[in-house]
Amino acid sequence: MRCVACGAVYPLDPRMFSCPRCGGLLEVVAAEPPGVSWAAWKRRRPGVWRYREALPVPPGAKPVTIGEGATPLVDAELDGVRARVWVKFEGANPTGSFKDRGMTVGVTVARHVGARLVVAASTGNTASALAAYAARAGLRAVVVLPRGGVALGKLLQARLHGAVVVEVEGSFDRAMGMVLEAAREGYAYPLNSFNPIRLEGQKTIAYEVADDLGRAPDYVVVPVGNGGNIAAIWKGFKELHEWGLVDRLPVMIGVQAEGASPLVKAWRAGLREPVWVDKPSTVASAIRIGRPVNWVKAIKAVEESGGVFVAVSDEEILEAQRILARRVGLGVEPSSAAALAGILKLESEGFFRAGEEVVAVATGHALKDPDAMAKADADFRRASSVEELKSLLRSLAGAEA
Ligand code: F0G
C-alpha cells in the first residue's frame, strides 16, 4: 500500500485505513499479475472476478459474490451529439449500483481477516450494497445515513437485507465523520471508500470498458461524490496501460451537482484542495456531499489524465435522466444522469471532436429513487371502460400518423 500524500509504502494490511506517518489516504499498489492477457481473462465468465489476479484478495479467501459486474456498455446513439456516447449501465449490478463491485472485494477481505461487524456511512447505495454482501457473507452490517437524505429504495433495500440502519441528523458528511472515528477506534470494520481495498473492486469498471471496446475510450465521465469511484476507474486504466493491455489512457471528467460541488469550485479557483460545502443541496441525493473523503485521489485522477471537473444544475440532471429514459431506454437515478448532463454541457461548448468516444458511467438504477421518478413525471391516464381505452388508443394512433 502506498500513501497518496507522502509516498510511504507499506505491506498490504486490510486493517490500515490511513498512513501511519502522515495520516494520508492509502492506495493499493498492484504488481503486474504474471501471465495476464485479455485472452486468458476472456476464457472466464465476465464480471469482477474475471480479473481476480489484479484484486488484492489473498489466495485462500473465498469470494463473496452475487454476480456483480458484467454490466452492459450501451451505445447511446444520441442524435445531435458529435461525440460517440457509450453508457456503462451500473444499475444492472445485483443491488442496482456500482457499489457492488467494491463490496464483493471489500466484504471478501473483511470476512477473510475475521471481521464480524462491518460499517459504512452512506447516501444509500453503499448501504444497500454492504447490506446485501454482508448478508451473503454471514456478517452483521451497520449503515449510518443522513436522516431524510436517502432515496426510499436504498433505505428499504438496506433493511430488506437485514442491516442495522442508523439515521443521524445532518448531512452525509457528519455520518462519515462519525464512522471514521468509530472505525479508527476499532468498533467495526469500515467499508467506506477510504478503505482502499473496496476501491480495487470498483476499478474493474475500467477493465470491463476496455475489455468490451477492445481499447480505452477517449473520455470517461463519472459523477463525483466522495471521489472514490473516479479515482478507482483511473487507477484501473493506468494498470491496464502499464501492463500493455491498452495502448493509451482516457481523459477523466468528474461531474458534480452545482449545489454540492466542492471539487468543481476548487478546480475553477485553481486550487488543488477542496472548498468544503457545509450544506450540500441537490436532487441527486447520492452525490449530496460537501466534504469528499477521497478529494486528493479524485483531483489527482482528473489532473494526471488531463481532464476537468464540471458542475451541472438539477434541471440539467433531470433533463439527462429523461433523455436516458426516453431515448436510450435506460432508467438511472439522478446522480447517475449527472454524467450525461456533464457530457451534454461540454458538447454544447464544443469540447468534443466528432467521433470521439465518451463513456458515461451511469452509476445507479432509477428504481433506487422513486421520489425522483415521481417528480420527473407522474402523469397517469384513466380508463373506466374498454370504450375509453379504445378511444385513447385511437387518438394516440392518430397522433402517430
Ligand atoms: N453515483 C451514485 C449513484 C452513488 O451512489 C455515488 C456515491 C456516486 C455516484 C459517487 O461516487 O462517492 O465514489 O465519488 N454514493 C455513496 C453512497 C456516497 O453512500 O452510496 P463517489
Side-chain angles (χ1 to χ4, degrees):
M1 294 165 114
R2 182 170 48 213
C3 172
V4 299
C6 75
V9 177
Y10 305 96
L12 184 71
D13 178 355
R15 290 193 182 270
M16 199 160 89
F17 307 111
S18 59
C19 175
R21 212 162 80 185
C22 78
L25 285 172
L26 298 170
E27 64 179 356
V28 173
V29 189
E32 178 170 355
V36 296
S37 66
W38 288 120
W41 275 343
K42 280 179 193 293
R43 278 196 290 273
R44 298 190 186 136
R45 286 172 65 184
V48 169
W49 294 95
R50 168 177 275 190
Y51 315 107
R52 61 179 171 246
E53 295 85 353
L55 301 174
V57 176
K62 181 166 176 273
V64 178
T65 174
I66 328 176
E68 51 294 316
T71 56
L73 184 66
V74 180
D75 187 346
E77 298 185 84
L78 290 176
D79 298 333
V81 177
R82 282 170 309 165
R84 178 156 193 202
V85 179
W86 298 89
V87 182
K88 182 68 171 159
F89 184 50
E90 290 294 293
N93 275 293
T95 77
S97 86
F98 71 98
K99 304 286 180 174
D100 294 351
R101 296 179 184 272
M103 289 305 173
T104 187
V105 174
V107 172
T108 295
V109 171
R111 184 173 69 176
H112 187 73
V113 299
R116 304 288 308 144
L117 186 65
V118 288
V119 67
S122 181
T123 56
N125 282 324
T126 291
S128 33
L130 180 61
Y133 283 83
R136 179 77 182 193
L139 307 181
R140 203 82 209 274
V142 178
V143 296
V144 185
L145 314 173
R147 198 164 80 86
V150 174
L152 190 63
K154 307 174 188 181
L155 192 61
L156 297 177
Q157 227 183 338
R159 277 304 293 145
L160 178 69
H161 290 296
V164 175
V165 175
V166 182
E167 297 187 293
V168 302
E169 296 302 327
S171 69
F172 164 83
D173 301 298
R174 176 153 186 262
M176 182 63 120
M178 290 165 71
V179 166
L180 259 169
E181 181 173 330
R184 214 177 278 136
E185 292 172 17
Y187 284 87
Y189 188 85
L191 279 159
N192 276 115
S193 53
F194 59 77
N195 181 337
I197 303 229
R198 201 193 93 189
L199 292 180
E200 289 297 290
Q202 289 172 211
K203 77 184 179 186
T204 60
I205 292 176
Y207 288 31
E208 276 181 17
V209 167
D211 202 338
D212 275 359
L213 288 178
R215 59 190 173 271
D218 295 290
Y219 297 91
V220 179
V221 185
V222 189
V224 172
N226 274 310
N229 205 35
I230 193 167
I233 297 171
W234 173 238
K235 182 174 191 285
F237 280 112
K238 278 201 303 188
E239 287 169 359
L240 296 178
H241 191 247
E242 260 168 53
W243 305 338
L245 296 174
V246 293
D247 57 15
R248 59 168 186 174
L249 289 165
V251 170
M252 304 298 297
I253 296 175
V255 187
Q256 294 198 297
E258 273 170 7
S261 53
L263 295 172
V264 182
K265 288 202 168 86
W267 191 258
R268 283 191 191 137
L271 300 171
R272 291 301 170 261
E273 56 194 65
V275 178
W276 298 139
V277 173
D278 285 333
K279 289 204 167 76
S281 141
T282 166
V283 64
S285 61
I287 54 171
R288 196 182 288 145
I289 292 173
R291 296 171 167 257
V293 285
N294 289 300
W295 64 269
V296 179
K297 288 185 178 180
I299 288 182
K300 260 181 90 166
V302 168
E303 196 162 43
E304 280 177 11
S305 74
V308 287
F309 280 103
V310 286
V312 291
S313 68
D314 280 3
E315 291 70 42
E316 289 166 330
I317 288 173
L318 295 174
E319 174 60 14
Q321 187 191 35
R322 221 168 357 251
I323 292 170
L324 285 168
R326 297 193 176 177
R327 287 208 244 149
V328 187
L330 290 173
V332 308
E333 63 170 294
S335 299
S336 311
L340 180 64
I343 291 171
L344 296 177
K345 178 162 230 173
L346 291 170
E347 171 79 19
S348 75
E349 294 165 1
F351 186 89
F352 302 113
R353 281 196 294 262
E356 281 186 321
E357 283 190 314
V358 184
V359 171
V361 182
T363 44
H365 205 289
L367 291 172
K368 292 277 193 171
D369 194 344
D371 292 322
M373 285 192 282
K375 255 181 242 150
D377 196 335
D379 178 19
F380 306 121
R381 310 289 184 90
R382 267 195 186 179
S384 50
S385 66
V386 70
E387 287 316 319
E388 273 185 39
L389 176 63
K390 287 181 188 168
S391 132
L392 173 66
L393 294 173
R394 243 189 331 266
S395 70
L396 291 173
E400 288 280 284

